[in-house]
């Protein structure tokens, strides 16, 4: 049985590792458009900040260890399901029995032209290397980040740490999709304290890149033009699905999959940032583009490749900033009864629906996140200890007797 995996990020890598673990005979081919051995994008920030490639690489010997035919710098440009074949850039094709689409996504700047020369997409290591190469060579002293989602904020913090003058364009609020307005304000204050300039509001809306042949500035709705040595697109993430356009594979924002992560076509699966899956709590279809989801989905895909009939529990809606000293954790929904505590730079909120945790936002102090998440995923009734949830030592060494039983701990 020959399995082709498109992409060598966390999803593709986990498919290869898990499949090999269970099937020593499987013929596994991995095709990656990146000219590197497999790597993990979340580790890039730490890598560039510290110079230590800890957790970044799976190792140059990954293909040998996994007995995988790994082809780097090879881009799939078309999938032809009727012929069970993928076509490669520069000619050539490869046939498969089973296909896993793990092509991830890229960062973009909403409302602005994509793939504009001079605008960096920090999602790939090649783009990040090019961008930071300019910083190290002293060619760049200022940066403009278009967008203020989680990854945009992480990139802004990294570039500031590297000594650049950084401006961040914030359309309405920082991390609008994941944070409530009050928490957004606290985070905005933290960014400003670190010397990151932020521009927001309708008059800060970016309408076009300016400069030929390379973009060198962004034009605002107000008519202002903001220029910088580095322009970075980071409003949100767009799944890499263009190469699937004529394949007959159903797509919406990302590749649409069922609860077994199967596409609408036989023997074709999708996992990771490219896949639109169900949210664990709301049941809505969405691309929750985070590392743990990519890994969990890849594992489910392998079970189903092997015919084990495994359903996916649904994706977590979760984000955390752990690098660069800005403690922030955002999990689940922001609706329902709000429990809140604020002290200095610490703001901690838990949202309850029917006395069950639906989400939480922790800023300045992320302690207790693990137990809140477990209670949330178990849909535990927290009524007996609701008033104590935000107490400083909740879940740290001591766990309320009733919380223990809600989590079925002895
Ligand atoms: C700066 C940054 C920080 C992040 N921090 C965190 C964090 O702290 N925690 C967290 O959980 N998540 C974080 N993420 C998100 C996390 O990186 C992604 O959720 C994860 O990488 C998804 O894995 P994936 O394998 O689905 O996709 P990707 O990692 O995007 O890998 C997809 C691969 O497919 C390849 N590919 C695409 N199209 C083709 C094609 N046509 N042919 C061949 N190959 C192709 C790409 O080159 C890429 O290597 C961060 C992301 C970035 C960019």
């Amino acid at each position: 049985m020959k399995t082709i995996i498109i992409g060598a990020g966390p999803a593709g890598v986990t498919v290869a590792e898990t499949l090999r673990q269970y099937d020593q005979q499987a013929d596994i081919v991995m095709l990656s458009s990146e000219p590197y051995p497999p790597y993990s994008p979340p580790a890039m920030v730490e890598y560039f900040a510290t110079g230590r490639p800890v957790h970044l690489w799976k190792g140059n010997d990954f293909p040998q260890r996994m007995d995988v035919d790994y082809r780097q710098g090879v881009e799939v440009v078309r999938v032809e399901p009727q012929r069970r074949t993928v076509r490669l850039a520069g000619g050539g094709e490869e046939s498969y029995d089973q296909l896993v689409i793990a092509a991830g996504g890229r960062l973009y700047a909403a409302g602005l032209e994509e793939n504009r020369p001079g605008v960096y997409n920090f999602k790939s290591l090649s783009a990040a290397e090019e961008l930071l190469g300019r910083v190290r060579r002293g060619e760049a002293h200022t940066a403009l980040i278009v967008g203020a989602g989680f990854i945009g904020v992480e990139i802004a913090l990294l570039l500031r740490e590297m000594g650049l003058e950084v401006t961040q364009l914030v359309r309405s609020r920082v991390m609008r999709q994941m944070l409530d307005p009050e928490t957004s304000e606290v985070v905005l204050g933290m960014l400003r304290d670190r010397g990151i300039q932020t521009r927001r509001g309708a008059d800060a809306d970016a309408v076009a890149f300016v400069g030929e042949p390379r973009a060198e500035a962004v034009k605002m709705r107000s008519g202002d033009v903001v220029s910088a040595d580095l322009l970075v697109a980071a409003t949100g993430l767009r799944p890499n699905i263009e190469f699937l356009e004529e394949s007959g594979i159903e797509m919406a924002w990302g590749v649409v999959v069922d609860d077994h992560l199967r596409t609408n076509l036989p023997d074709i699966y999708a996992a990771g940032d490219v896949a639109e899956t169900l949210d664990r709590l709301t049941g809505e279809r969405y691309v929750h583009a985070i590392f743990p989801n990519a890994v969990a989905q890849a594992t489910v895909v392998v079970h189903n490749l092997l015919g084990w009939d495994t359903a996916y529990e649904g994706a977590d809606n979760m984000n955390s900033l752990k690098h660069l000293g800005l403690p922030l954790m955002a999990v689940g929904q922001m609706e329902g009864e709000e429990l809140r505590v604020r002290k200095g730079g610490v703001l901690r909120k838990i949202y309850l629906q029917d006395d069950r945790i639906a989400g939480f936002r922790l800023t300045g102090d992320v302690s207790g996140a693990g137990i809140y998440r477990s209670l949330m995923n178990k849909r535990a009734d927290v009524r007996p200890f609701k008033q104590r949830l935000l107490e400083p030592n909740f879940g740290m060494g001591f766990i309320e007797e009733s919380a223990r039983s809600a989590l079925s701990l002895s």
Side-chain angles (χ1 to χ4, degrees):
M1 186 72 88
K2 179 174 170 185
T3 303
I4 290 187
I5 304 165
I6 305 175
V13 161
T14 307
V15 170
E17 285 177 335
T18 316
L19 186 53
R20 177 58 69 224
Q21 180 188 349
Y22 293 118
D23 184 352
Q24 302 302 315
Q25 310 306 322
D27 178 6
I28 306 173
V29 178
M30 279 182 99
L31 306 173
S32 172
S33 52
E34 280 283 85
Y36 302 108
Y39 64 87
S40 169
M44 288 194 311
V45 172
E46 189 180 348
Y47 168 52
F48 288 117
T50 65
R52 289 192 302 270
V54 200
H55 310 308
L56 183 67
W57 302 109
K58 272 288 172 183
N60 284 336
D61 61 346
F62 176 86
Q64 291 78 40
R65 276 191 291 117
M66 292 301 130
D67 187 18
V68 164
D69 178 1
Y70 180 64
R71 305 197 208 149
Q72 61 193 41
V74 173
E75 184 187 356
V76 176
V77 289
R78 209 177 145 95
V79 173
E80 296 177 357
Q82 294 79 7
R83 298 176 56 232
R84 291 189 177 245
T85 298
V86 299
R87 283 188 181 270
L88 311 176
E93 58 181 41
E94 195 70 37
S95 63
Y96 62 82
D97 299 306
Q98 297 175 314
L99 180 67
V100 181
I101 302 163
R106 61 188 180 279
L107 294 168
Y108 74 104
L112 299 182
E113 213 180 315
E114 270 207 57
N115 303 321
R116 184 72 146 80
V119 181
Y120 291 92
N121 164 21
F122 200 88
K123 181 75 200 288
S124 76
L125 184 56
S126 331
E129 287 277 16
E130 192 185 326
L131 180 148
L132 290 159
R134 289 191 60 199
V135 176
R136 291 196 199 99
R137 291 193 298 274
E139 294 167 14
H141 305 284
T142 57
L144 181 64
I145 318 290
V146 184
F150 258 86
I151 294 179
V153 166
E154 213 167 346
I155 299 168
L157 288 166
L158 171 68
L159 294 177
R160 183 73 194 127
E161 183 94 354
M162 295 181 86
L164 272 74
E165 290 296 321
V166 177
T167 304
Q168 186 139 36
L169 297 186
V170 184
R171 279 191 180 229
S172 56
R173 309 201 310 262
V174 175
M175 305 177 192
R176 189 173 54 88
Q177 292 197 335
M178 283 302 290
L179 300 183
D180 59 285
E182 189 185 15
T183 309
S184 273
E185 282 305 308
V186 171
V187 175
L188 187 74
M190 288 173 161
L191 296 179
R192 288 182 173 156
D193 288 347
R194 275 151 202 263
I196 294 170
Q197 312 272 337
T198 52
R199 291 182 59 140
R200 70 167 170 173
D203 66 340
D205 275 359
V207 289
F209 288 120
V210 180
E212 287 299 337
R214 290 170 68 86
E216 290 162 354
V218 169
K219 188 174 175 194
M220 306 297 181
R221 202 175 299 285
S222 62
D224 282 6
V225 172
V226 186
S227 57
D229 301 329
L230 294 175
L231 302 179
V232 182
T235 309
L237 182 112
R238 209 190 282 291
N240 292 323
I241 54 175
E242 290 71 13
F243 70 103
L244 301 171
E245 253 152 32
E246 286 164 29
S247 64
I249 295 170
E250 189 187 348
M251 296 181 286
W253 181 248
V255 174
V256 175
V257 287
D258 67 11
D259 66 345
H260 283 56
L261 307 182
R262 296 175 288 227
T263 67
N264 58 317
L265 298 184
D267 299 315
I268 305 183
Y269 296 77
D273 286 5
V274 78
E276 223 179 281
T277 58
L278 301 182
D279 179 287
R280 180 197 281 265
L281 290 180
T282 65
E284 284 166 17
R285 251 186 20 209
Y286 201 73
V287 177
H288 289 313
I290 57 169
F291 181 95
N293 289 340
V295 169
Q297 289 165 18
T299 309
V300 170
V301 163
V302 172
H303 287 193
N304 291 311
L305 287 173
L306 295 169
W308 296 350
D309 188 20
T310 300
Y312 178 52
E313 286 186 342
D316 283 317
N317 183 12
M318 180 174 83
N319 261 304
S320 69
L321 274 186
K322 47 192 176 304
H323 307 295
L324 310 165
L326 197 154
L328 175 64
M329 186 108 197
V331 178
Q333 296 172 266
M334 298 183 280
E335 284 156 22
E337 182 188 355
E338 182 185 292
L339 307 178
R340 166 186 184 283
V341 64
R342 181 157 193 182
K343 208 170 179 188
V346 173
L347 175 63
R348 291 162 63 81
K349 293 186 175 195
I350 296 181
Y351 295 91
L352 302 179
Q353 290 171 14
D354 297 328
D355 289 314
R356 285 166 172 76
I357 296 179
F360 54 91
R361 304 292 179 270
L362 308 174
T363 322
D365 171 10
V366 298
S367 59
I371 188 166
Y372 298 148
R373 197 166 154 240
S374 304
L375 290 166
M376 184 179 95
N377 286 342
K378 289 223 166 207
R379 297 173 198 231
D381 185 345
V382 299
R383 232 171 329 171
F385 48 91
K386 177 166 142 178
Q387 299 313 327
R388 306 193 60 182
L389 276 171
L390 284 171
E391 282 184 4
N393 56 353
F394 186 86
M396 290 175 66
F398 126 98
I399 303 178
E400 282 266 347
E401 200 50 45
S402 39
R404 292 180 74 87
S405 68
L407 284 170
S408 315
L409 300 174
S410 56

